[in-house]
């Protein structure tokens, strides 16, 4: 029986045929030993031709879900794991050669490690860049490193099955599932191993979820959910500062959209958070707009009041 299960959540759409098969091929090249490949097909967009291709592969097991949901597919895949280790790979990303073996090495040499994170490449319009620059600090200061960059990429980790149970995947936070998971692992003081070598390639696309306005909107409730978990005092201060920064960004976005009342509301709130004094100078931008357009309160109204 293989030691590692790699879970691929996918809708198995025709447009994903090439990338999905590429992902599977990359897993086969990621270890010198057999790997259990579990493809979790979710939703009703699945292509019969793609399913046929999957069924023809001896190395692949298929788990089918009627509901189209990435978090549910991830959870179903985790619950089905029967190997000592597991990991994930999105259907449009790929592992680099020997990726799984590179992650397994520290896990096997150090029984205290609960999971391992690794570095990788992000490919944008044919150009590759290294994903993480702060991995040196993850093992010793995972909380602080998390708020500099989310070091837990969906395709960049390897978990010990008996240490990271299915319960960690049962209450995801929409669109920022991996940031929330990393936070929970930090809260439970899980031991982290680091492989600061490229083991994956993320193929970034213009319509990826991380670029959507919904993704940005998900950050507010995420930060408040983190605060409700009662993290250490230093982390509370960092999160509150992040909320202030987020409010400042929203104020500027509202200003550019001509939504001046909303801009003032977000701006005034940002001043109440740690280091909020940094945003005081932004007031002049809103005041200059009021002097220039003293009658305008909200461009969405489509009229003027004098």
């Amino acid at each position: 029986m293989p030691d590692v299960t790699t879970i691929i959540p996918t809708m198995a759409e025709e447009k994903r045929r090439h990338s999905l098969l590429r992902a599977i091929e990359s897993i086969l090249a990621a270890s010198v030993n057999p790997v259990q490949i579990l493809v979790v097909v979710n939703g009703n967009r699945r292509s019969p031709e793609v399913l046929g291709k999957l069924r023809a592969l001896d190395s692949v097991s298929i788990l089918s879900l009627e509901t189209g949901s990435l978090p549910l597919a991830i959870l179903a895949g985790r619950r089905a794991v029967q190997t000592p280790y597991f990991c994930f790979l999105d259907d449009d990303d790929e592992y680099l050669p020997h990726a799984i073996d590179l992650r397994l090495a520290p896990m096997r040499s150090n029984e205290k490690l609960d999971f391992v994170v690794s570095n990788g490449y992000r490919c944008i319009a044919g150009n590759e860049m290294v994903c993480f620059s702060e991995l040196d600090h993850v093992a010793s200061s995972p909380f602080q490193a998390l708020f500099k960059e989310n070091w837990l990429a969906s395709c960049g980790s390897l978990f010990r099955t008996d240490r990271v149970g299915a319960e960690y995947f049962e209450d995801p936070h929409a669109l920022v599932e991996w940031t929330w998971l990393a936070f929970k692992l930090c809260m439970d003081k899980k031991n982290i191993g680091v492989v600061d070598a490229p083991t994956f390639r993320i193929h970034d696309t213009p319509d990826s979820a991380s670029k959507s306005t919904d993704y940005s909107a998900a950050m507010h409730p995420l930060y408040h959910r983190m605060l409700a978990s009662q993290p250490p005092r230093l982390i509370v201060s960092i999160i509150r500062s992040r909320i202030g920064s987020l409010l400042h960004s929203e104020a500027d976005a509202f200003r550019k959209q001509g939504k001046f009342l909303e801009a003032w509301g977000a701006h005034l709130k940002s001043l109440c958070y740690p280091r909020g004094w940094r945003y005081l100078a932004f007031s002049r931008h809103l005041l200059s707009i009021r002097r220039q357009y003293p009658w305008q309160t909200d461009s969405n109204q489509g009229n003027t009041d004098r």
Side-chain angles (χ1 to χ4, degrees):
M1 185 176 182
D3 284 340
V4 178
T5 297
T6 300
I7 302 164
I8 305 180
T10 181
M11 289 189 173
E13 297 175 272
E14 178 59 35
K15 66 180 181 180
R16 296 282 196 172
R17 179 204 294 244
H18 171 74
S19 62
L20 176 56
L21 295 178
R22 179 186 62 196
I24 292 171
E25 290 177 1
S26 75
I27 296 170
L28 297 176
S31 178
V32 297
N33 297 309
V35 176
Q36 176 66 52
I37 302 175
L38 177 60
V39 178
V40 185
V41 179
N42 61 101
N44 56 12
R45 300 179 185 175
R46 59 193 69 186
S47 162
E49 290 76 15
V50 174
L51 288 178
K53 288 282 188 180
L54 295 176
R55 294 190 180 105
L57 298 174
D58 294 335
S59 56
V60 171
S61 298
I62 301 174
L63 181 62
S64 180
L65 298 180
E66 291 301 319
T67 303
S69 167
L70 176 61
L72 288 180
I74 290 173
L75 175 58
R78 171 60 190 89
R79 286 174 172 169
V81 171
Q82 297 181 1
T83 54
Y85 307 93
F86 68 95
C87 52
F88 296 90
L89 182 62
D90 288 348
D91 64 0
D92 55 350
D93 299 331
E94 60 182 313
Y95 285 156
L96 300 180
H98 310 296
I100 292 176
D101 290 341
L102 284 171
R103 299 174 195 174
L104 265 176
M107 297 281 274
R108 285 175 168 163
S109 63
N110 186 352
E111 284 292 325
K112 293 182 179 180
L113 296 181
D114 299 311
F115 68 103
V116 163
V117 297
S118 63
N119 218 328
Y121 297 118
R122 184 178 298 277
C123 184
I124 304 175
N127 299 313
E128 286 190 342
M129 61 186 71
V130 175
C131 286
F132 305 125
S133 60
E134 300 287 338
L135 286 185
D136 288 346
H137 309 290
V138 170
S140 58
S141 304
F143 259 135
Q144 291 90 326
L146 178 62
F147 289 97
K148 294 180 179 179
E149 60 185 12
N150 178 18
W151 36 257
L152 187 62
S154 60
C155 54
S157 52
L158 181 72
F159 302 92
R160 205 180 293 272
T161 303
D162 61 356
R163 309 275 183 84
V164 182
E167 66 274 8
Y168 280 94
F169 302 89
E170 289 176 352
D171 61 344
H173 197 94
L175 299 179
V176 283
E177 298 94 345
W178 296 98
T179 303
W180 175 237
L181 174 60
F183 179 84
K184 291 193 293 182
L185 293 168
C186 289
M187 286 291 293
D188 287 349
K189 300 180 179 179
K190 294 293 185 180
N191 294 312
I192 309 171
V194 175
V195 177
D196 197 359
T199 69
F200 61 87
R201 181 179 291 111
I202 294 174
H203 292 275
D204 212 343
T205 57
D207 59 347
S208 63
S210 60
K211 296 180 176 61
S212 69
T213 55
D214 289 341
Y215 180 87
S216 178
M219 298 309 296
H220 263 308
L222 173 67
Y223 287 147
H224 288 289
R225 191 175 186 184
M226 288 177 172
L227 291 175
S229 299
Q230 298 182 334
R233 183 178 300 177
L234 173 62
I235 305 307
V236 169
S237 179
I238 292 174
I239 295 172
R240 285 178 50 79
S241 179
R242 279 298 192 91
I243 294 174
S245 177
L246 189 61
L247 285 165
H248 173 66
S249 297
E250 290 178 355
D252 192 39
F254 283 136
R255 177 185 66 85
K256 292 175 180 177
Q257 297 168 21
K259 299 179 180 179
F260 305 129
L261 289 180
E262 290 90 338
W264 270 111
H267 174 56
L268 293 175
K269 288 179 182 177
S270 72
L271 301 178
C272 300
Y273 284 87
R275 302 181 67 196
W277 53 265
R278 294 177 296 169
Y279 311 126
L280 275 171
F282 181 75
S283 303
R284 71 176 185 271
H285 295 293
L286 299 179
L287 290 171
S288 65
I289 291 172
R290 293 294 293 175
R291 287 194 296 267
Q292 187 176 2
Y293 305 106
W295 62 86
Q296 190 166 356
T297 58
D298 192 330
S299 64
N300 287 341
Q301 292 177 0
N303 54 26
T304 59
D305 294 324
R306 295 181 183 270

